[in-house]
Amino acid sequence: MSGGGGNRMGEGKVAVVTGASAGIGAATAAALAGAGFRVVLGARRLDRLRAVAAPLGGEAWSLDVTDPASVEAFADRVPALHLLVNNAGGALGLDPIEAAVDERWRMMFETNVLGTVRMTRALLPKLEASGDGHVINVGSIAGFEVYAGGAGYTAAKHGVAALTRTLRLELLGRPVRVTEVAPGLVETDFSRVRFGGDGERARRVYAGLRALSAEDVADCIAWAATRPSHVDVDLLVVRPRDQATATAFHRGAEGGR
Ligand SMILES: NC(=O)c1ccc[n+]([C@@H]2O[C@H](COP(=O)([O-])OP(=O)(O)OC[C@H]3O[C@@H](n4cnc5c(N)ncnc54)[C@H](OP(=O)(O)O)[C@@H]3O)[C@@H](O)[C@H]2O)c1
């Protein structure tokens, strides 16, 4: 079993995972189901989402976090809720600020920042009513580091980091934990999406090093989710051994494998 430290702390609890049709979200759904959670999954590609949910006995519901009506419809269907994993997100392009494309910036903020805000706002009453709620936001090392060409994404993930810390302050004294999991390089569809489907360019991002897998990050998320209720994992930063910062990599012939 991945994640959860081998325990079944999720037994009898419901978890929502956004962006669960691929990558970290799909792996998180599996790790949480392995820890006993009943998983309710959301994403836009319903066929892929159903394929993730079916073996886990979970629910697969259409969700576009950039669309307020979609978020409301999704949230209305959610039963009692203990855990919300705001994972939907990603990057578009690698444009320097002097060539910034407004629409790409808008989409990165809509998905990573506003998507997280909308889902949290809509589901907070149910999380609080459970008496033992938890919001886990998937941030990034881009939430506290920067790199040339990355401003649209780093600004958005800095936003996620800021709203996560603000939420912790606002919920003080109420039964809802707040966690940010901030990964470094993870080998998923992230770079292919960032580069508009250019698989070769995406492949070069991971060449010669051993990146984290989606399961590695899911393990961290499930670990944070399965601590006792009074233990709030605040910020969990996880990187590959082959990565020291957003720009410092060790690329060897064997790629650390
Ligand atoms: N990969 C990395 O190196 C890395 C590092 C740090 C942080 N992260 C963060 O980890 C999270 C997951 O990324 P990933 O690496 O797993 O990438 P991925 O494989 O591309 O998965 C992204 C997921 O987000 C969903 N999504 C995108 N836009 C959405 C929307 N508007 N509404 C609902 N779902 C949406 C996608 O599903 P649909 O397309 O089906 O909607 C997909 O399931 C993101 O927040 C990303 O910023 C990734």
Side-chain angles (χ1 to χ4, degrees), residues 22-228:
I24 294 168
T28 297
L32 293 176
F37 285 90
R38 181 183 160 214
V39 292
V40 176
L41 310 182
R44 295 165 302 177
R45 290 170 294 175
L46 207 45
D47 51 339
R48 294 189 58 150
L49 196 65
R50 286 192 177 119
V52 174
L56 308 177
E59 307 288 339
W61 299 344
S62 173
L63 173 68
D64 181 349
V65 298
T66 71
D67 175 359
S70 171
V71 170
E72 286 309 318
F74 183 97
D76 284 350
R77 289 179 72 184
V78 172
L81 181 66
H82 299 83
L83 171 63
L84 167 62
V85 181
N86 284 307
N87 165 76
L92 291 175
L94 200 56
D95 310 314
I97 291 168
E98 64 186 347
V101 180
D102 286 11
E103 189 49 29
R104 288 180 172 171
W105 276 67
R106 192 171 291 118
M107 282 311 294
M108 286 188 272
F109 274 75
E110 272 288 340
T111 312
N112 294 286
V113 185
L114 280 162
T116 298
V117 172
R118 285 189 191 104
M119 290 299 298
T120 303
R121 184 179 57 204
L123 289 169
L124 209 43
K126 289 174 184 172
L127 288 166
E128 188 166 7
S130 76
D132 185 16
H134 195 171
V135 179
I136 300 182
N137 292 335
V138 179
S140 168
I141 60 169
F144 55 89
E145 297 187 21
V146 296
Y147 50 95
Y153 183 59
T154 57
K157 287 301 196 190
H158 274 65
V160 172
L163 77 86
T164 306
R165 290 165 54 204
T166 305
L167 188 65
R168 193 176 297 108
L169 273 176
E170 292 174 355
L171 294 180
L172 188 62
R174 291 154 68 181
V176 184
R177 288 180 283 169
V178 181
T179 297
E180 178 183 351
V181 173
L185 199 64
V186 191
E187 194 160 355
T188 63
D189 287 341
F190 176 90
S191 295
R192 209 184 43 75
V193 171
R194 167 172 238 169
F195 299 131
D198 184 340
E200 178 50 33
R201 194 173 174 196
R203 200 193 54 75
R204 285 201 297 273
V205 172
Y206 310 105
L209 58 76
R210 181 162 186 179
L212 297 175
S213 68
E215 288 72 21
D216 293 328
V217 180
D219 195 34
C220 295
I221 293 171
W223 178 78
T226 54
R227 295 312 88 204

